[in-house]
Amino acid sequence: MSELIRLDDVTRRYRTAAGTVVAVDAVSLALRRGDLVGLIGPSGSGKTTILNLILGWEQPDDGTVTTHVEPSGWSGVAVIPQELGLLPELSARENIELAGRLGGGLRADAVETLGSMGLGELVDRFPDELSMGEQQRVAVARAVAMRPTLLVADEPTAHQDERHADLVIDQLAIVANDGGAVIVATHDARLLDRVGSAIQVLDGRIVSTTWSNP
Ligand code: ADP
């Protein structure tokens, strides 16, 4: 079974003082091994909520989320959150090694992975000794060094210049080529040139899906 995650007619609502917000509205999608999928849409269109539903961090109000990710839990799933989530008391290398220990082992070397994104000289620096772009690449390395079955990335090139964005995208592609499924919320045209399919969301709904690979 190559399908890892499936959302069928998933709706997620938030009740606020000002009324009910339908953040995700009858969304259906599937992620398969080897997929590199872009999730595009303006701010507030529901991208992060869709990622949280895929991760099981939020539950649907209607519809179903079916997951076949093996191994389950943190060994199979890696996340690159917008807020990065690096531990400030650990160096770049230690942040990655700790994730490896918690997630059942790294499948790529931490220092090599950092080196492939231009961080080879900075592996022993702490997050507050790194620029935002460098910190974001550490968070990318932490996820891709696991070679996860499912990789969920929220704007992983937001802080990158052209050259470094390419290096980040290369790393996401390695995970997909290794048989993982990668879904990435992005506005970045550089990334959209490299995804196999792009899902466009607006007001919580999927308005189009385009495939660039045959
Ligand atoms: P995006 O990631 O595309 O910016 P989100 O998924 O974060 O969009 O948000 C979709 C909609 O749901 C927005 O209108 C947002 O204000 C609303 N929303 C998100 N999280 C909450 C929450 N915890 N409570 C209330 N409304 C929320």
Side-chain angles (χ1 to χ4, degrees), residues 14 16 21 23 41-50:
Y14 296 111
T16 70
V21 179
S43 181
S45 57
K47 302 182 298 297
T48 301
T49 308
I50 291 172

Side-chain angles (χ1 to χ4, degrees), residues 169-183:
I169 299 164
D170 288 344
Q171 291 297 314
L172 302 181
I174 286 171
V175 173
N177 289 335
D178 194 55
V182 182
I183 183 162

Side-chain angles (χ1 to χ4, degrees), residues 45-67:
S45 57
K47 302 182 298 297
T48 301
T49 308
I50 291 172
L51 298 184
N52 289 343
L53 288 158
I54 287 172
L55 287 164
W57 291 355
E58 294 194 45
Q59 300 305 314
D61 292 300
D62 292 310
T64 53
V65 178
T66 314
T67 170

Side-chain angles (χ1 to χ4, degrees), residues 92-93 96 109-120 122-123 137-138 141-142:
R93 179 218 305 253
I96 296 165
D109 182 71
V111 171
E112 256 175 51
T113 308
L114 288 165
S116 66
M117 283 184 288
L119 297 170
L122 308 179
V123 298
R137 275 177 277 139
V138 175
R142 182 187 56 194

